[in-house]
Amino acid sequence: MKRSLASLILLLSACQPSPHETQPPAPPSAAVTVTGPWLRATPPGAPVAGGFLTLHNGTSADDRLLTVESAAAQRVEIHEMRDEGGVARMRELVDGLPLPAGTMAELKPGGHHLMFIQPTRALPAGEQVDATLVFERAGRMPVVFEVRPLGAASPKPHQ
């Protein structure tokens, strides 16, 4: 009987998954932060609105902004601006915006930015627009964009 019980315990322990299989992956860190989200105001019927913010990845793992969702536009695209031979060219980052560990990405006029395509209504200065940033590792992050006047520029960094 002792031998049967010992054999059963040994058999059951051999069937247990390894610790790596039983532990869920580490949760994403809350150290990916967003500061200063804002949109440029749009007149009625405007086909796009520019969105800007600063992302900081304070984690030790690379991440990526995959997409942005908002009911305020038909879709939101992540874009970059490049100077190619003195001509500014804009293109969508279809694979998202890389956010390496420990770095900051500033989405600003003339650089990386968000394009709110086909806004569902005019976006007057002073309003707020809800959106959700979707990251590869950090997951979904709600954010509220402040709508600033049409000619608004990025705020000056604190000295």
Side-chain angles (χ1 to χ4, degrees):
M1 182 70 168
K2 286 183 185 180
R3 184 175 235 177
S4 297
L5 184 56
S7 296
L8 180 60
I9 291 171
L10 183 60
L11 179 62
L12 288 175
S13 66
C15 293
Q16 292 295 318
S18 74
H20 298 291
E21 294 170 336
T22 59
Q23 296 177 358
S29 171
V32 172
T33 57
V34 178
T35 55
W38 66 282
L39 289 168
R40 277 212 177 108
T42 62
V48 297
F52 314 98
L53 49 78
T54 300
L55 302 171
H56 181 259
N57 183 356
T59 72
S60 60
D62 293 347
D63 208 336
R64 178 179 298 270
L65 176 62
L66 298 173
T67 189
V68 179
E69 301 167 351
S70 177
Q74 284 186 2
R75 70 183 184 280
V76 182
E77 297 177 354
I78 304 165
H79 282 209
E80 75 172 343
M81 291 286 285
R82 283 192 177 183
D83 181 17
E84 295 178 4
V87 177
R89 303 244 185 235
M90 182 173 57
R91 74 177 180 99
E92 181 182 5
L93 297 175
V94 294
D95 294 329
L97 178 68
L99 191 56
T103 66
M104 188 177 342
E106 185 179 4
L107 283 72
K108 62 184 180 179
H112 289 99
H113 59 279
L114 303 175
M115 292 296 291
F116 285 68
I117 310 290
Q118 295 298 313
T120 56
R121 61 182 170 73
L123 301 172
E127 286 201 6
Q128 294 184 331
V129 171
D130 292 327
T132 301
L133 307 180
V134 182
F135 293 91
E136 187 173 64
R137 289 179 144 314
R140 301 174 65 81
M141 185 178 298
V143 65
V144 178
F145 286 83
E146 170 193 346
V147 181
R148 295 186 184 163
L150 191 57
S154 293
K156 301 284 185 224
H158 296 291
Q159 297 289 331

